[in-house]
Amino acid sequence: MTIWERFRYETAAQGKITALDLELTKRCNLSCAHCYKLRGPQMMDGSLFHRVLDQARELGIFMIGFNGGEPLSHPQFLPFARRVLEEGIFLTLVTNGTLITEQMVHELSAWKGIRFQVSLYGHDPASFSALTGAPGSLWEKALHSLELIRGAGFHLEVILLAVDQEIAHIGGFMASLKNQGFDTWVNPILFPREDGDETPLKFALSNENYLKLSQLEDYNPIPRCEGNCQACGAGVSSLSVDVFGNIVPCLLIRESLGKIPNTSLADALGGETLKNFIKKNSIPPQCVECDYYPHCVRCPGASVFTTGLLTGISGETCRMARLRQIFHSSHHPDHH
């Protein structure tokens, strides 16, 4: 568990909102067929952003995430980032890395409280282009961004997309990145699109390939919870604000808690809508009792996307948990 994960888990246990995710834009410079998000021209305007930051500061928010779309495509990205950092708030950037420049890194280098999460698609220019619909030349820019980020002393996590066409290469590529000192992990989780289009699920790993991928996953089975188990930290340790100013528990769970400026973050936190959401957002009893529970990566957002219900049970999540259990049992026969 990283220090960031530990922080989120412990604050969730305390029931304290300390993190805020902002959807800066729906724009993206890539056209990934596997992406669940719908691209568009919408961007968070400056007045909304600064109003949200003022409220976040008053609430003692400790960490802010910039999400998208591609957050670096926002024309005010740098001023927005500087505002967060000048407030003494940690900043997480979820990015594809292709828009990171030396000048950008230089302008942010006065602060070290930044975590970059860079998603890499493919293993070379051709595979990158096939997955993203973008020129292969951007692959080299994405790789170069890793060196720029590390050179500036920022915290960096590299995330590799695990899909069937990459299974023969992902292990070697991951090993290469780790040998170069990059904190790297794989992501096999895909969602239907926000409009219900299931095209992204066509890229999901086959059973055989997921078992191969399991060799690269670094996880420990989770202990079985007791009683009414909170499903995640959405609305408990974190909130989100979308590009239009809607306050939501999570950018995957767009259950409106109000809209800025009519509703403030403080109003949303004290409102009955959030209290009711937190009560609903529990792990279904049949999941807690399931044999695959210790290996399950159930996400309520995934449940909403695939079943339309917060407490729904996603068949894809169950498939992954079952395969994880098979792999873990065969490689760790003494662990149950």
Side-chain angles (χ1 to χ4, degrees):
M1 183 183 294
T2 69
I3 190 171
W4 302 94
E5 291 171 332
R6 181 180 175 188
F7 171 78
R8 294 293 285 270
Y9 278 119
E10 291 191 358
T11 52
Q14 296 169 12
K16 183 179 180 182
I17 294 284
T18 51
L20 183 68
D21 287 324
L22 304 182
E23 183 182 49
L24 289 194
T25 179
K26 290 186 176 293
R27 293 170 57 183
C28 186
N29 61 321
L30 305 183
S31 301
C32 301
H34 61 267
C35 186
Y36 72 91
K37 294 213 169 180
L38 296 175
R39 296 191 306 162
Q42 299 89 348
M43 294 185 290
M44 182 176 287
D45 66 48
S47 61
L48 173 59
F49 174 82
H50 290 293
R51 188 188 294 267
V52 171
L53 256 290
D54 289 341
Q55 295 181 17
R57 179 190 58 211
E58 293 171 3
L59 288 172
I61 295 293
F62 182 85
M63 184 191 306
I64 284 181
F66 283 2
N67 216 310
E70 170 50 57
L72 275 66
S73 69
H74 196 296
Q76 296 188 67
F77 163 72
L78 276 174
F80 286 180
R82 283 195 293 266
R83 169 76 200 280
V84 171
L85 296 164
E86 286 168 354
E87 294 288 354
I89 300 173
F90 283 101
L91 177 62
T92 293
L93 302 174
V94 180
T95 175
N96 60 48
T98 62
L99 299 180
I100 294 173
T101 64
E102 291 187 29
Q103 180 64 28
M104 182 184 294
V105 170
H106 175 73
E107 292 199 33
L108 295 174
S109 61
W111 300 274
K112 299 303 178 188
I114 307 177
R115 175 177 63 153
F116 283 83
Q117 287 187 321
V118 178
S119 294
L120 293 182
Y121 305 116
H123 65 281
D124 62 13
S127 57
F128 170 87
S129 185
L131 284 168
T132 66
S137 58
L138 291 182
W139 168 255
E140 299 298 338
K141 289 188 176 182
L143 286 186
H144 182 55
S145 77
L146 306 185
E147 295 293 350
L148 291 176
I149 295 165
R150 179 166 64 179
F154 299 128
H155 183 87
L156 170 63
E157 296 174 12
V158 182
I159 305 168
L160 305 182
L161 175 70
V163 291
D164 273 340
Q165 55 263 53
E166 284 299 301
I167 200 68
H169 309 281
I170 198 166
F173 186 41
M174 183 176 182
S176 173
L177 289 169
K178 286 192 169 185
N179 288 338
Q180 296 174 63
F182 294 113
D183 181 11
T184 308
W185 50 284
V186 293
N187 176 29
I189 302 173
L190 296 172
F191 302 99
R193 291 219 175 94
E194 291 173 316
D195 62 357
D197 181 358
E198 295 190 352
T199 297
L201 299 183
K202 295 178 181 179
F203 292 84
L205 290 171
S206 66
N207 289 356
E208 178 184 1
N209 284 336
Y210 190 80
L211 287 172
K212 292 177 181 177
L213 181 76
S214 297
Q215 301 174 43
L216 306 178
E217 289 193 298
D218 182 16
Y219 84 98
N220 292 310
I222 59 175
R224 202 173 294 274
C225 69
E226 298 180 2
N228 185 33
C229 307
Q230 198 67 39
C232 68
V236 179
S237 64
S238 63
L239 282 179
S240 299
V241 179
D242 73 12
V243 70
F244 305 109
N246 294 301
I247 306 168
V248 293
C250 166
L251 291 174
L252 288 173
I253 306 172
R254 306 263 179 162
E255 186 169 324
S256 181
L257 307 174
K259 185 174 182 179
I260 297 172
N262 297 326
T263 303
S264 69
L265 292 175
D267 291 339
L269 286 173
E272 288 301 314
T273 303
L274 180 58
K275 292 176 183 176
N276 291 333
F277 168 80
I278 292 172
K279 288 179 182 178
K280 288 190 299 181
N281 191 26
S282 59
I283 301 175
Q286 58 266 49
C287 290
V288 177
E289 297 167 4
C290 177
D291 290 342
Y292 305 139
Y293 177 86
H295 309 277
C296 185
V297 290
R298 183 184 180 276
C299 166
S303 298
V304 171
F305 272 59
T306 55
T307 71
L309 300 171
L310 189 65
T311 55
I313 299 175
S314 163
E316 179 65 7
T317 300
C318 293
R319 181 178 76 97
M320 292 173 61
R322 178 176 60 84
L323 293 169
R324 274 182 158 201
Q325 193 271 344
I326 290 171
F327 177 84
H328 195 269
S329 296
S330 62
H331 287 75
H332 305 279
D334 296 330
H335 296 175
H336 299 284

